[in-house]
Structure formats: C-alpha cells, structure tokens
Amino acid sequence: MKLPVVHLCGDFVVRRNWKLELRRLEQHELVYFPIGTGTTYHIAGKVYTLDKPCWVITRAGALHGYQFSETSATRHQFIHFTLEDCFELALLTADGPDVIPIRDGGFQEQMLRHLIEVSYTGKDSSRSGFLLAALLNELSQLGFAAKQKETVAGSSYSPIVGKALAYIRRHLVEPISVVEIASHCELSQEHLSRLFAREVGIPLRQMIIQLRLERAAYHLRHSTLSINEIASQCGYSENHYFSRTFAAYFGISASVYRGKYAAPAERHVVYEQHIDAKYPINTYIYVNP
C-alpha cells in the first residue's frame, strides 16, 4: 500500500502582522489554525479570513500566501507531504475545499499533534504516513460537508440562524441592526427574531453584544492593543459605554480582566503563548527531506 510521504512538519507561533509572501510549493501543505485570529489566506485570486479554528489545504504548485493577524501572535501546525499517483484523495482534487472551518479541533487536532510528535521522536516515516493517511481521509469528509455550509461544520443551528450568526461575526466592527440582518437572511425582522430566539435562546440584539464582548475578551488576552483600540475594533464608538458593558457582562473591568487572564508571554511581539507539547515549538521537523 502506497502511503502519503511526510517531508516536513512543525508547530509554530509567528509574530503579529507577519506576512508570508506569495509562493509555490512542490509539495502539498496542510495547516491547522487552532484559534481564529483574523489571519488572511490568499490563493488563486481568493482571500479567506481565518476568524475561527480551521484547516487550510494548499495543493502542490498553487500560488498562495498568508498575512498573519495584525493584533496577536498566531499559532499554527503544518505538514508538507507528497502522494503517490495510486493514492487517490478527493480532498486534493481541483474542486476540493481550500479552507475547512470547524467548531473545535476534535480528534483530528489530536491526530495532527501525535503525527508531529511521532515525526520528531521516532523519525518513523512509515508510521507518519499511516497517521497522515487517516487524517487526510477524515478531513476529506469534513471538507466536502463544509463546502455546502456557510457556518461552521457540525453547527446545531438551522441554515437561517447560522447565516445570521455568520453575518454578525463578519460585521462586529460596524453598527449592526436587526433590520440589516433580517434583510441579509431574506426574512422579516419579526420572523427572524422569533426563529433566532427559539433556537439560540437569546434575542438577536443580545447576541450581537455577547459576540462583541467575547471578541474584546479575546483581544485582551492575546493582543497588545490598548483597551480603547479593542473597543473600537469590536464596534464600540464610546469607550465609557464599552467599559460599562464589559464590566456588567464579565463582572470585572477590562483592565482587571487583562491583568488576570493575559499570560505574561503574550505581551511580547513574537511568542505569545505557553505551549505544552512533546516536541519543540518553532522548529522545523524533517522526516523525508
């Protein structure tokens, strides 16, 4: 049985605002982003904003590049690999997905980390190949399901509610009204409000506030932006209103929240996360050079 051949893998945290210029690889590349930081992926004239956990598939020879998050360091794990002609995989065909958004890493994330660990500790190319073959097949199932959905794969919401949530997330920095969301979903304001409250359990307006505050909390933990800048990026034009709303939601002020939950390493420009892994971080691991 011919297996995928792993050539290079690693687990890196890159500094904010770093740009990987457009390039072509002779090998396929699989990248996993465990956190959506707003990094943009450019390929074949298309631009994807990676604002949620996701897998990115770059086929050999494709011109592509990354503009990493402007506000925080970005962790990502990757594998460069080749396939024998006899190993057919729908994921890598021309009509396969470029990006597979997910709710969380699940066991596929664990498979990837185990593959990197095996590649580092054992240099066992055949074992790495078996693990990669299994991972690619699992992602193939996720990928083609994701192409038919606007929301995260595995969402428990109806397509209409999912569409409304996706619209809110894309426009958090802007003023958002229920009327605009209803127009985007091609429903009346009353119909959408009833449907949303029934499925999600809270009104649309409350969800907008909740998502803005959760994004603000993420920036407080992972970025070096000032609190005023974070407020602006989360759709708040008045800093005092943001401060009152944040304190009411989390029970503490934004500055206290940052001091309590932001790890010291995250104040630096390059490496912003403490990572517990059984292999070295920011190190290229060569398996079959």
Side-chain angles (χ1 to χ4, degrees), residues 162-184:
K163 189 174 184 179
L165 285 168
Y167 182 88
I168 294 170
R169 290 190 177 99
R170 289 197 303 268
H171 296 85
L172 283 179
V173 71
E174 308 163 14
I176 309 173
S177 70
V178 176
V179 173
E180 292 173 4
I181 302 170
S183 176
H184 175 71

Side-chain angles (χ1 to χ4, degrees), residues 31-150:
V31 184
Y32 173 63
F33 290 86
I35 297 176
T37 60
T39 291
T40 54
Y41 172 57
H42 302 253
I43 183 168
K46 295 175 286 186
V47 179
Y48 297 90
T49 300
L50 311 181
D51 56 0
K52 56 175 67 69
C54 65
W55 297 84
V56 177
I57 301 96
T58 304
R59 294 151 192 87
L63 184 65
H64 69 286
Y66 289 91
Q67 174 63 62
F68 286 87
S69 170
E70 296 180 355
T71 59
S72 65
T74 300
R75 184 184 182 186
H76 64 290
Q77 294 127 17
F78 68 89
I79 303 172
H80 291 182
F81 63 97
T82 53
L83 297 175
E84 297 288 344
D85 293 337
C86 60
F87 189 94
E88 297 182 359
L89 191 68
L91 187 71
L92 295 174
T93 60
D95 62 342
D98 298 318
V99 176
I100 306 175
I102 56 173
R103 184 179 295 278
D104 53 50
F107 73 93
Q108 294 92 354
E109 177 182 2
Q110 299 304 317
M111 290 174 68
L112 174 59
R113 292 185 181 177
H114 186 54
L115 191 159
I116 297 174
E117 178 189 344
V118 167
S119 299
Y120 172 69
T121 59
K123 305 295 184 182
D124 187 338
S125 59
S126 62
R127 190 178 176 196
S128 297
F130 274 110
L131 289 169
L132 180 56
L135 175 59
L136 291 173
N137 277 290
E138 290 296 331
L139 292 178
S140 186
Q141 299 300 315
L142 287 178
F144 283 93
K147 286 196 72 175
Q148 301 176 9
K149 298 182 180 181
E150 180 179 351

Side-chain angles (χ1 to χ4, degrees), residues 194-211:
R194 287 195 300 269
L195 182 64
F196 191 93
R198 183 168 67 244
E199 289 192 26
V200 181
I202 61 174
L204 264 169
R205 289 187 179 87
Q206 187 175 336
M207 177 56 74
I208 294 171
I209 294 171
Q210 179 176 315
L211 291 177

